[in-house]
Amino acid sequence: MTECVEVHEPYQEAGQQHETDMMGMNLFLATEIMLFGGLCIVIVIYRFLHPEEIVAASARLHMWISAANTVVLLISSFAAAAAIKSARHAHARRSAHLLAAAAALGLTFLGLKAYEYHAEYTEGLLPILSNPPRFSGPVEQLFMNLYLLYRSTMMRHRCALTRPCASDQAGRLEPGRVSGSRAARRSSSGCRSA
């Protein structure tokens, strides 16, 4: 099977474009590791400094909602990756269905987060919004601040990543390629056998 890759400006060859894409993806992954890894390290250090209080505070969280959200995120990531693979193999309809499934799972994620935050609000566990807050002490309040920061960052991140991917690819799936949002030109050096 021969797959033709669209070469976008300012690139002259598909190989140069691919190298730049890979560098961009590696940079993106590095920033993700720094952001979420840094937050995780802060929570681990905080747990080391206050083990009993953190265990008591984390027991008040909704573990099953978070577990369900983890499963939803894994399945939606698989659906998005499978959609790209389907588009590359000229299965536009399957790819569109998989993208729709990924978007629906993204909405499911947001619905579960809204339910979880509402439950935490009614229990007085949201740091700024709960009135009156029902924390057992400053350690629990700081833990909930960190937890809310971490989870809301993940939620915003999920929304930011899902929307451009779905809007950029929807309706543009053509056999043998996935087109981008910029005008592209064909390059004979961009065709390769698979």
Side-chain angles (χ1 to χ4, degrees):
M1 178 176 114
T2 300
E3 180 179 343
C4 290
V5 177
E6 291 182 1
V7 179
H8 300 272
E9 288 190 25
Y11 306 107
Q12 300 300 318
E13 299 176 358
Q16 180 189 24
Q17 180 174 303
H18 177 73
E19 288 177 19
T20 305
D21 289 346
M22 292 307 295
M23 182 182 72
M25 182 54 69
N26 288 331
L27 182 63
F28 168 74
L29 291 174
T31 59
E32 293 295 293
I33 290 169
M34 288 189 300
L35 173 66
F36 291 108
L39 285 170
C40 285
I41 289 170
V42 168
I43 291 172
V44 167
I45 291 171
Y46 196 59
R47 185 176 182 341
F48 178 74
L49 295 174
H50 306 281
E52 295 86 16
E53 294 96 335
I54 297 300
V55 169
S58 64
R60 297 180 70 182
L61 298 176
H62 303 95
M63 182 180 70
W64 295 109
I65 297 173
S66 294
N69 258 338
T70 301
V71 170
V72 166
L73 285 176
L74 289 172
I75 294 171
S76 68
S77 295
F78 173 77
I84 291 170
K85 185 173 183 177
S86 293
R88 287 184 177 155
H89 290 94
H91 301 294
R93 183 178 301 223
R94 182 185 312 155
S95 183
H97 287 128
L98 287 166
L99 282 175
L105 288 166
L107 293 174
T108 302
F109 171 81
L110 293 176
L112 286 170
K113 289 310 298 175
Y115 177 77
E116 181 181 16
Y117 288 155
H118 175 65
E120 289 169 354
Y121 173 77
T122 58
E123 294 169 14
L125 297 177
L126 288 182
I128 296 171
L129 303 174
S130 296
N131 190 18
R134 297 184 190 117
F135 302 116
S136 62
V139 172
E140 183 181 22
Q141 183 169 4
L142 185 55
F143 173 78
M144 290 305 293
N145 285 340
L146 289 171
Y147 173 75
L148 183 65
L149 174 68
Y150 186 80
R151 299 306 285 178
S152 62
T153 301
M154 285 185 71
M155 185 172 64
R156 282 190 13 232
H157 173 79
R158 178 70 179 166
C159 291
L161 286 181
T162 303
R163 194 188 79 239
C165 292
S167 64
D168 191 37
Q169 302 303 331
R172 297 195 183 144
L173 302 174
E174 298 175 20
R177 66 185 169 92
V178 177
S179 63
S181 58
R182 293 187 297 184
R185 63 190 194 311
R186 287 225 183 261
S187 169
S188 59
S189 62
C191 295
R192 64 179 184 254
S193 296

